[in-house]
Amino acid sequence: MANALTDWLSLPHTDGRNPGQLGAVPEFIFSCSKQKSLLKGLVKGVAGIVGLDRSNFSLSAQISNTVSSPNLFALCLSGSPSAPGLVFLGTSGPYYFYPQSDLSKYLIYTPLPSNPLRSSLEIYRYPSAEYFIGLISIKVNGRVVQFDHTLLNIDANGLVGPS
């Protein structure tokens, strides 16, 4: 059984150069579940997931609405099991990480196109809340996989594949 609840969310924040206090987001909407099966297939030790989609219930949307900042986020995934990743909310950069490093100089940016139609049938004919990754190529073990790139196209009607 899962429930949607509201409560205060507290997150550490920083100006990028100096650690800050906990920032509070009142009436944050979140969901809890006792079903461990929902975490099945995720990395060992994961206790939950966070929504970063384009909906009004995503982490970035709820925070941006509370603090009147742009609904933007940058996600920096760590390549190391011993170092956590970072998420920057409400800014398009620069992304300072104390003491003086601007991470935007080291990030690889991936455009996230949207499907013009929702993939959910019950909310048909509205823009998609999901993000998609625009692929240019696929490599497996360093070798480029040959495939028909038109299979990745999304047309104005929300259809995927060759026109």
Side-chain angles (χ1 to χ4, degrees):
M1 181 171 166
N3 296 307
L5 307 166
T6 60
D7 201 349
W8 287 75
L9 172 69
S10 295
L11 294 171
H13 69 90
T14 177
D15 63 4
R17 294 188 171 105
N18 303 297
Q21 301 296 319
L22 285 177
V25 180
E27 298 182 26
F28 186 84
I29 300 170
F30 65 98
S31 178
C32 294
S33 177
K34 293 181 180 180
Q35 295 179 6
K36 296 287 186 188
S37 64
L38 294 174
L39 301 176
K40 195 173 192 174
L42 298 177
V43 177
K44 183 180 176 182
V46 168
I49 57 175
V50 64
L52 295 172
D53 63 349
R54 291 182 169 99
S55 77
N56 292 332
F57 303 107
S58 70
L59 176 69
S60 60
Q62 289 190 70
I63 289 174
S64 70
N65 288 336
T66 299
V67 298
S68 299
S69 66
N71 185 7
L72 301 170
F73 74 91
L75 181 62
C76 182
L77 300 173
S78 172
S80 167
S82 63
L86 297 168
V87 63
F88 296 91
L89 299 164
T91 179
S92 59
Y95 304 117
Y96 289 108
F97 188 67
Y98 43 84
Q100 297 295 328
S101 298
D102 177 6
L103 293 180
S104 63
K105 296 176 183 176
Y106 307 102
L107 297 178
I108 298 170
Y109 294 89
T110 302
L112 300 173
S114 65
N115 187 323
L117 299 179
R118 271 200 198 271
S119 56
S120 173
L121 292 177
E122 64 270 3
I123 315 176
Y124 189 65
R125 292 279 175 209
Y126 290 97
S128 172
E130 297 92 356
Y131 289 103
F132 295 85
I133 297 175
L135 293 178
I136 298 170
S137 69
I138 299 173
K139 289 184 181 180
V140 176
N141 289 332
R143 293 185 156 175
V144 175
V145 175
Q146 299 297 322
F147 66 98
D148 181 359
H149 288 81
T150 64
L151 296 173
L152 304 175
N153 296 341
I154 301 174
D155 70 15
N157 295 316
L159 299 174
V160 179
S163 304

PDB file of all heavy atoms in Angstrom, residues 81-103:
ATOM      1  N   PRO A  81      31.882   4.915  -6.366  1.00  0.00           N
ATOM      2  CA  PRO A  81      30.957   4.400  -5.356  1.00  0.00           C
ATOM      3  C   PRO A  81      31.132   5.053  -3.989  1.00  0.00           C
ATOM      4  O   PRO A  81      30.242   5.006  -3.166  1.00  0.00           O
ATOM      5  CB  PRO A  81      31.275   2.911  -5.299  1.00  0.00           C
ATOM      6  CG  PRO A  81      32.567   2.720  -5.988  1.00  0.00           C
ATOM      7  CD  PRO A  81      32.820   3.917  -6.848  1.00  0.00           C
ATOM      8  N   SER A  82      32.257   5.692  -3.749  1.00  0.00           N
ATOM      9  CA  SER A  82      32.495   6.298  -2.440  1.00  0.00           C
ATOM     10  C   SER A  82      32.130   7.781  -2.388  1.00  0.00           C
ATOM     11  O   SER A  82      32.150   8.372  -1.313  1.00  0.00           O
ATOM     12  CB  SER A  82      33.964   6.128  -2.045  1.00  0.00           C
ATOM     13  OG  SER A  82      34.785   6.806  -2.972  1.00  0.00           O
ATOM     14  N   ALA A  83      31.810   8.388  -3.521  1.00  0.00           N
ATOM     15  CA  ALA A  83      31.465   9.808  -3.543  1.00  0.00           C
ATOM     16  C   ALA A  83      30.030   9.975  -4.041  1.00  0.00           C
ATOM     17  O   ALA A  83      29.674   9.418  -5.076  1.00  0.00           O
ATOM     18  CB  ALA A  83      32.429  10.568  -4.455  1.00  0.00           C
ATOM     19  N   PRO A  84      29.211  10.722  -3.310  1.00  0.00           N
ATOM     20  CA  PRO A  84      27.830  10.904  -3.754  1.00  0.00           C
ATOM     21  C   PRO A  84      27.764  11.868  -4.941  1.00  0.00           C
ATOM     22  O   PRO A  84      28.673  12.655  -5.182  1.00  0.00           O
ATOM     23  CB  PRO A  84      27.149  11.512  -2.531  1.00  0.00           C
ATOM     24  CG  PRO A  84      28.240  12.233  -1.808  1.00  0.00           C
ATOM     25  CD  PRO A  84      29.492  11.421  -2.059  1.00  0.00           C
ATOM     26  N   GLY A  85      26.684  11.803  -5.678  1.00  0.00           N
ATOM     27  CA  GLY A  85      26.436  12.779  -6.723  1.00  0.00           C
ATOM     28  C   GLY A  85      25.843  14.032  -6.107  1.00  0.00           C
ATOM     29  O   GLY A  85      25.683  14.144  -4.895  1.00  0.00           O
ATOM     30  N   LEU A  86      25.542  14.997  -6.958  1.00  0.00           N
ATOM     31  CA  LEU A  86      24.969  16.265  -6.498  1.00  0.00           C
ATOM     32  C   LEU A  86      23.776  16.608  -7.368  1.00  0.00           C
ATOM     33  O   LEU A  86      23.716  16.228  -8.535  1.00  0.00           O
ATOM     34  CB  LEU A  86      25.988  17.401  -6.656  1.00  0.00           C
ATOM     35  CG  LEU A  86      27.266  17.339  -5.860  1.00  0.00           C
ATOM     36  CD1 LEU A  86      28.254  18.378  -6.367  1.00  0.00           C
ATOM     37  CD2 LEU A  86      26.968  17.597  -4.404  1.00  0.00           C
ATOM     38  N   VAL A  87      22.844  17.351  -6.807  1.00  0.00           N
ATOM     39  CA  VAL A  87      21.769  17.917  -7.606  1.00  0.00           C
ATOM     40  C   VAL A  87      21.727  19.416  -7.301  1.00  0.00           C
ATOM     41  O   VAL A  87      21.837  19.830  -6.152  1.00  0.00           O
ATOM     42  CB  VAL A  87      20.408  17.229  -7.338  1.00  0.00           C
ATOM     43  CG1 VAL A  87      19.948  17.405  -5.919  1.00  0.00           C
ATOM     44  CG2 VAL A  87      19.363  17.712  -8.312  1.00  0.00           C
ATOM     45  N   PHE A  88      21.670  20.208  -8.353  1.00  0.00           N
ATOM     46  CA  PHE A  88      21.551  21.653  -8.233  1.00  0.00           C
ATOM     47  C   PHE A  88      20.139  22.009  -8.658  1.00  0.00           C
ATOM     48  O   PHE A  88      19.705  21.635  -9.749  1.00  0.00           O
ATOM     49  CB  PHE A  88      22.559  22.367  -9.129  1.00  0.00           C
ATOM     50  CG  PHE A  88      23.991  22.101  -8.757  1.00  0.00           C
ATOM     51  CD1 PHE A  88      24.689  21.057  -9.335  1.00  0.00           C
ATOM     52  CD2 PHE A  88      24.625  22.892  -7.824  1.00  0.00           C
ATOM     53  CE1 PHE A  88      26.009  20.808  -8.997  1.00  0.00           C
ATOM     54  CE2 PHE A  88      25.947  22.651  -7.473  1.00  0.00           C
ATOM     55  CZ  PHE A  88      26.643  21.608  -8.062  1.00  0.00           C
ATOM     56  N   LEU A  89      19.404  22.713  -7.821  1.00  0.00           N
ATOM     57  CA  LEU A  89      18.012  23.042  -8.088  1.00  0.00           C
ATOM     58  C   LEU A  89      17.835  24.546  -8.247  1.00  0.00           C
ATOM     59  O   LEU A  89      18.434  25.327  -7.523  1.00  0.00           O
ATOM     60  CB  LEU A  89      17.124  22.545  -6.950  1.00  0.00           C
ATOM     61  CG  LEU A  89      17.150  21.041  -6.716  1.00  0.00           C
ATOM     62  CD1 LEU A  89      16.561  20.690  -5.364  1.00  0.00           C
ATOM     63  CD2 LEU A  89      16.418  20.323  -7.829  1.00  0.00           C
ATOM     64  N   GLY A  90      17.005  24.946  -9.211  1.00  0.00           N
ATOM     65  CA  GLY A  90      16.623  26.345  -9.359  1.00  0.00           C
ATOM     66  C   GLY A  90      17.636  27.244 -10.026  1.00  0.00           C
ATOM     67  O   GLY A  90      17.511  28.458  -9.975  1.00  0.00           O
ATOM     68  N   THR A  91      18.647  26.686 -10.664  1.00  0.00           N
ATOM     69  CA  THR A  91      19.656  27.515 -11.318  1.00  0.00           C
ATOM     70  C   THR A  91      20.156  26.839 -12.582  1.00  0.00           C
ATOM     71  O   THR A  91      20.198  25.618 -12.668  1.00  0.00           O
ATOM     72  CB  THR A  91      20.845  27.801 -10.375  1.00  0.00           C
ATOM     73  OG1 THR A  91      21.808  28.600 -11.071  1.00  0.00           O
ATOM     74  CG2 THR A  91      21.520  26.528  -9.902  1.00  0.00           C
ATOM     75  N   SER A  92      20.535  27.657 -13.551  1.00  0.00           N
ATOM     76  CA  SER A  92      21.141  27.120 -14.771  1.00  0.00           C
ATOM     77  C   SER A  92      22.661  27.237 -14.707  1.00  0.00           C
ATOM     78  O   SER A  92      23.334  27.067 -15.700  1.00  0.00           O
ATOM     79  CB  SER A  92      20.598  27.859 -15.999  1.00  0.00           C
ATOM     80  OG  SER A  92      20.879  29.238 -15.900  1.00  0.00           O
ATOM     81  N   GLY A  93      23.177  27.538 -13.544  1.00  0.00           N
ATOM     82  CA  GLY A  93      24.612  27.616 -13.335  1.00  0.00           C
ATOM     83  C   GLY A  93      25.054  29.050 -13.156  1.00  0.00           C
ATOM     84  O   GLY A  93      24.246  29.954 -13.262  1.00  0.00           O
ATOM     85  N   PRO A  94      26.313  29.290 -12.864  1.00  0.00           N
ATOM     86  CA  PRO A  94      27.369  28.297 -12.670  1.00  0.00           C
ATOM     87  C   PRO A  94      27.079  27.442 -11.441  1.00  0.00           C
ATOM     88  O   PRO A  94      26.301  27.820 -10.576  1.00  0.00           O
ATOM     89  CB  PRO A  94      28.637  29.129 -12.479  1.00  0.00           C
ATOM     90  CG  PRO A  94      28.157  30.458 -12.001  1.00  0.00           C
ATOM     91  CD  PRO A  94      26.783  30.646 -12.582  1.00  0.00           C
ATOM     92  N   TYR A  95      27.711  26.277 -11.387  1.00  0.00           N
ATOM     93  CA  TYR A  95      27.509  25.319 -10.311  1.00  0.00           C
ATOM     94  C   TYR A  95      28.764  25.277  -9.457  1.00  0.00           C
ATOM     95  O   TYR A  95      29.687  24.530  -9.734  1.00  0.00           O
ATOM     96  CB  TYR A  95      27.192  23.930 -10.873  1.00  0.00           C
ATOM     97  CG  TYR A  95      26.003  23.941 -11.795  1.00  0.00           C
ATOM     98  CD1 TYR A  95      26.140  23.608 -13.128  1.00  0.00           C
ATOM     99  CD2 TYR A  95      24.743  24.287 -11.331  1.00  0.00           C
ATOM    100  CE1 TYR A  95      25.053  23.613 -13.977  1.00  0.00           C
ATOM    101  CE2 TYR A  95      23.646  24.303 -12.169  1.00  0.00           C
ATOM    102  CZ  TYR A  95      23.802  23.964 -13.486  1.00  0.00           C
ATOM    103  OH  TYR A  95      22.730  23.983 -14.319  1.00  0.00           O
ATOM    104  N   TYR A  96      28.777  26.111  -8.442  1.00  0.00           N
ATOM    105  CA  TYR A  96      29.943  26.172  -7.564  1.00  0.00           C
ATOM    106  C   TYR A  96      29.864  25.087  -6.509  1.00  0.00           C
ATOM    107  O   TYR A  96      28.819  24.813  -5.948  1.00  0.00           O
ATOM    108  CB  TYR A  96      30.044  27.533  -6.882  1.00  0.00           C
ATOM    109  CG  TYR A  96      30.426  28.627  -7.823  1.00  0.00           C
ATOM    110  CD1 TYR A  96      29.509  29.583  -8.212  1.00  0.00           C
ATOM    111  CD2 TYR A  96      31.712  28.691  -8.349  1.00  0.00           C
ATOM    112  CE1 TYR A  96      29.862  30.591  -9.089  1.00  0.00           C
ATOM    113  CE2 TYR A  96      32.073  29.688  -9.236  1.00  0.00           C
ATOM    114  CZ  TYR A  96      31.146  30.633  -9.591  1.00  0.00           C
ATOM    115  OH  TYR A  96      31.493  31.619 -10.475  1.00  0.00           O
ATOM    116  N   PHE A  97      30.988  24.482  -6.288  1.00  0.00           N
ATOM    117  CA  PHE A  97      31.131  23.496  -5.231  1.00  0.00           C
ATOM    118  C   PHE A  97      32.322  23.939  -4.415  1.00  0.00           C
ATOM    119  O   PHE A  97      33.410  24.135  -4.960  1.00  0.00           O
ATOM    120  CB  PHE A  97      31.336  22.104  -5.825  1.00  0.00           C
ATOM    121  CG  PHE A  97      31.301  21.014  -4.813  1.00  0.00           C
ATOM    122  CD1 PHE A  97      30.127  20.712  -4.145  1.00  0.00           C
ATOM    123  CD2 PHE A  97      32.434  20.284  -4.529  1.00  0.00           C
ATOM    124  CE1 PHE A  97      30.086  19.702  -3.205  1.00  0.00           C
ATOM    125  CE2 PHE A  97      32.400  19.268  -3.589  1.00  0.00           C
ATOM    126  CZ  PHE A  97      31.223  18.980  -2.927  1.00  0.00           C
ATOM    127  N   TYR A  98      32.094  24.170  -3.133  1.00  0.00           N
ATOM    128  CA  TYR A  98      33.141  24.783  -2.336  1.00  0.00           C
ATOM    129  C   TYR A  98      34.428  23.980  -2.352  1.00  0.00           C
ATOM    130  O   TYR A  98      34.387  22.775  -2.492  1.00  0.00           O
ATOM    131  CB  TYR A  98      32.659  25.072  -0.911  1.00  0.00           C
ATOM    132  CG  TYR A  98      31.852  24.014  -0.233  1.00  0.00           C
ATOM    133  CD1 TYR A  98      32.461  22.962   0.430  1.00  0.00           C
ATOM    134  CD2 TYR A  98      30.470  24.073  -0.251  1.00  0.00           C
ATOM    135  CE1 TYR A  98      31.707  22.002   1.057  1.00  0.00           C
ATOM    136  CE2 TYR A  98      29.715  23.107   0.377  1.00  0.00           C
ATOM    137  CZ  TYR A  98      30.335  22.070   1.027  1.00  0.00           C
ATOM    138  OH  TYR A  98      29.591  21.117   1.649  1.00  0.00           O
ATOM    139  N   PRO A  99      35.562  24.672  -2.304  1.00  0.00           N
ATOM    140  CA  PRO A  99      35.664  26.086  -2.003  1.00  0.00           C
ATOM    141  C   PRO A  99      35.458  27.005  -3.217  1.00  0.00           C
ATOM    142  O   PRO A  99      34.777  28.000  -3.135  1.00  0.00           O
ATOM    143  CB  PRO A  99      37.070  26.251  -1.447  1.00  0.00           C
ATOM    144  CG  PRO A  99      37.866  25.151  -2.073  1.00  0.00           C
ATOM    145  CD  PRO A  99      36.895  24.024  -2.334  1.00  0.00           C
ATOM    146  N   GLN A 100      36.028  26.728  -4.368  1.00  0.00           N
ATOM    147  CA  GLN A 100      35.909  27.678  -5.477  1.00  0.00           C
ATOM    148  C   GLN A 100      35.753  27.015  -6.839  1.00  0.00           C
ATOM    149  O   GLN A 100      36.004  27.638  -7.843  1.00  0.00           O
ATOM    150  CB  GLN A 100      37.149  28.586  -5.524  1.00  0.00           C
ATOM    151  CG  GLN A 100      37.326  29.459  -4.317  1.00  0.00           C
ATOM    152  CD  GLN A 100      36.219  30.490  -4.162  1.00  0.00           C
ATOM    153  OE1 GLN A 100      35.667  30.967  -5.120  1.00  0.00           O
ATOM    154  NE2 GLN A 100      35.892  30.816  -2.922  1.00  0.00           N
ATOM    155  N   SER A 101      35.370  25.773  -6.897  1.00  0.00           N
ATOM    156  CA  SER A 101      35.307  25.065  -8.174  1.00  0.00           C
ATOM    157  C   SER A 101      33.942  25.229  -8.831  1.00  0.00           C
ATOM    158  O   SER A 101      32.913  24.942  -8.223  1.00  0.00           O
ATOM    159  CB  SER A 101      35.555  23.572  -7.955  1.00  0.00           C
ATOM    160  OG  SER A 101      36.839  23.367  -7.429  1.00  0.00           O
ATOM    161  N   ASP A 102      33.938  25.682 -10.082  1.00  0.00           N
ATOM    162  CA  ASP A 102      32.711  25.761 -10.869  1.00  0.00           C
ATOM    163  C   ASP A 102      32.583  24.457 -11.650  1.00  0.00           C
ATOM    164  O   ASP A 102      33.297  24.227 -12.623  1.00  0.00           O
ATOM    165  CB  ASP A 102      32.752  26.955 -11.815  1.00  0.00           C
ATOM    166  CG  ASP A 102      31.525  27.053 -12.705  1.00  0.00           C
ATOM    167  OD1 ASP A 102      30.574  26.267 -12.522  1.00  0.00           O
ATOM    168  OD2 ASP A 102      31.523  27.926 -13.582  1.00  0.00           O
ATOM    169  N   LEU A 103      31.680  23.586 -11.197  1.00  0.00           N
ATOM    170  CA  LEU A 103      31.529  22.274 -11.815  1.00  0.00           C
ATOM    171  C   LEU A 103      31.023  22.346 -13.254  1.00  0.00           C
ATOM    172  O   LEU A 103      31.195  21.403 -14.009  1.00  0.00           O
ATOM    173  CB  LEU A 103      30.585  21.403 -10.982  1.00  0.00           C
ATOM    174  CG  LEU A 103      31.082  21.002  -9.609  1.00  0.00           C
ATOM    175  CD1 LEU A 103      30.048  20.140  -8.906  1.00  0.00           C
ATOM    176  CD2 LEU A 103      32.403  20.258  -9.699  1.00  0.00           C
TER     177      LEU A 103
END
